[in-house]
Amino acid sequence: MRWRRVVSLVLFVLLAAAGVLYYIRHEERFRLITAVSADAIVVLVLLKGALIVCFGYQVKVLTDHYGLNLSFSKWFGLSRMSTFLNLILPFGSGSSLKAVYLQKFHNLKFSSFIASGAIAGLIRVVITTFCAVLLLLSSGQPSTLLLLMAGGLFIGSLSFLLVGHRIDGRFFSFSNGLASLVNEWRPIRTDHAMIGKLVIINSLIFAISCLEVYYSFRAFSIDASLASSGVIAAVTTFTGAMKLVPANLGIKEAVFMALSGFYGTGVNEGLHAAALHRIIGTACTLLLAPGFAYPLSKKVAADKER
């Protein structure tokens, strides 16, 4: 929708301008970037690799439910290409890419894959918010606002997963997306193997994300607790899910800075950790996406011939 593109562009420009202004006014504070630990960078790359595999395997789990049995080059390649697309386009364009490909070459309904992906997202929200509440309470200085947000999201998402299938579809006549989500959830909820895999995958995703944030600070010899790192990982997960701007650019940095300041780690330290976190994530995407674009395009050509 055009208004979404306008909102995304305006927000992107404002965030970029704020970033440039911050750098101009605090240029001397960026000295920490010269003291980054090579060992921590290696750990971060390994963690990012594990996270990439988890997100890719989730595509296989979702498509296996529909009997597609995608090969490695397809499920991993689709995941990498969609992540690359999300770097440059807002509003979940990567998910649309996967859904269009699967519809065109595997006869999987566009709405089915989008809805099943949303269900996987709800499971991730339940796991992330539950862990966030525990981490906030154990941090010693919980934010009331974050507790309310995490608690509300947890209750809302879990309630849908528990009772959504019982709601009459007529109540969602105002939204085709919600109606599709409810209709897709009814058969998926009985696929216990799939649900179990999604729970394990998204639990791993959150654990790895926490460690990523933690080592982003450790790379600069900054002492950030695992609890505060987990809270930052949770909030960046929430904001990233909204996909207001490409790659969550500027929003992730703002979350790092705000929560680092709140927990006493330091706003400038949070900015450095966020910058390193982004650089490694972007580098891994740019390195892997082109490598899987060719084999995926060969699969597309083979599918066309059939």
Side-chain angles (χ1 to χ4, degrees):
M1 292 183 183
R2 185 171 297 177
W3 69 268
R4 288 187 174 185
R5 295 192 186 98
V6 172
V7 170
S8 178
L9 179 60
V10 171
L11 188 56
F12 176 81
V13 170
L14 290 175
L15 289 169
V20 171
L21 184 62
Y22 182 88
Y23 176 77
I24 292 173
R25 292 186 174 181
H26 305 90
E27 185 177 355
E28 73 285 352
R29 294 186 180 181
F30 283 78
R31 66 187 183 282
L32 281 177
I33 203 71
T34 61
V36 65
S37 165
D39 291 343
I41 289 179
V42 171
V43 173
L44 281 168
V45 170
L46 292 174
L47 288 171
K48 179 57 69 177
L51 199 61
I52 285 170
V53 172
C54 286
F55 277 115
Y57 190 67
Q58 180 167 273
V59 175
K60 176 170 174 56
V61 171
L62 292 175
T63 53
D64 279 355
H65 172 75
Y66 300 100
L68 300 190
N69 193 28
L70 297 181
S71 63
F72 171 79
S73 61
K74 284 187 178 181
W75 60 259
F76 192 81
L78 276 173
S79 175
R80 290 302 83 217
M81 291 305 297
S82 66
T83 301
F84 174 76
L85 200 60
N86 284 334
L87 280 179
I88 55 178
L89 294 174
F91 299 111
S93 301
S95 295
S96 296
L97 168 71
K98 288 181 284 193
V100 168
Y101 170 82
L102 293 170
Q103 179 184 47
K104 187 169 185 179
F105 299 106
H106 294 277
N107 297 317
L108 177 61
K109 288 196 303 182
F110 183 92
S111 59
S112 293
F113 184 76
I114 292 296
S116 63
I119 289 166
L122 283 173
I123 292 174
R124 186 178 310 135
V125 169
V126 169
I127 293 169
T128 302
T129 50
F130 177 73
C131 293
V133 169
L134 294 181
L135 290 170
L136 283 165
L137 293 174
S138 67
S139 65
Q141 51 180 122
S143 164
T144 303
L145 177 60
L146 288 180
L147 270 175
L148 289 173
M149 289 175 57
L153 285 169
F154 173 75
I155 293 171
S157 300
L158 185 61
S159 296
F160 175 85
L161 294 176
L162 292 176
V163 303
H165 59 286
R166 299 180 183 274
I167 302 174
D168 194 307
R170 290 176 297 177
F171 287 100
F172 301 104
S173 58
F174 65 92
S175 172
N176 291 332
L178 282 175
S180 176
L181 183 63
V182 172
N183 290 334
E184 210 63 40
W185 174 235
R186 290 192 179 103
I188 286 178
R189 63 181 290 275
T190 61
D191 189 343
H192 299 138
M194 174 190 182
I195 298 298
K197 288 177 182 178
L198 289 176
V199 169
I200 292 172
I201 289 170
N202 285 289
S203 296
L204 284 172
I205 285 173
F206 182 69
I208 294 168
S209 298
C210 292
L211 290 174
E212 272 193 309
V213 174
Y214 176 77
Y215 278 100
S216 293
F217 283 104
R218 289 302 307 155
F220 300 104
S221 300
I222 299 168
D223 291 321
S225 68
L226 279 172
S228 63
S229 298
V231 173
I232 292 173
V235 177
T236 53
T237 296
F238 304 149
T239 56
M242 292 186 287
K243 296 179 173 63
L244 295 176
V245 295
N248 208 23
L249 184 63
I251 298 177
K252 176 193 288 185
E253 287 74 12
V255 170
F256 268 75
M257 293 168 68
L259 291 178
S260 295
F262 178 78
Y263 284 109
T265 307
V267 173
N268 183 53
E269 287 76 3
L271 178 60
H272 279 75
L276 181 61
H277 190 278
R278 180 174 296 283
I279 288 169
I280 289 178
T282 302
C284 288
T285 297
L286 293 178
L287 285 171
L288 287 173
F292 279 88
Y294 178 68
L296 186 61
S297 65
K298 287 180 64 178
K299 293 290 183 181
V300 170
D303 290 333
K304 282 182 177 178
E305 291 176 1
R306 296 195 193 106

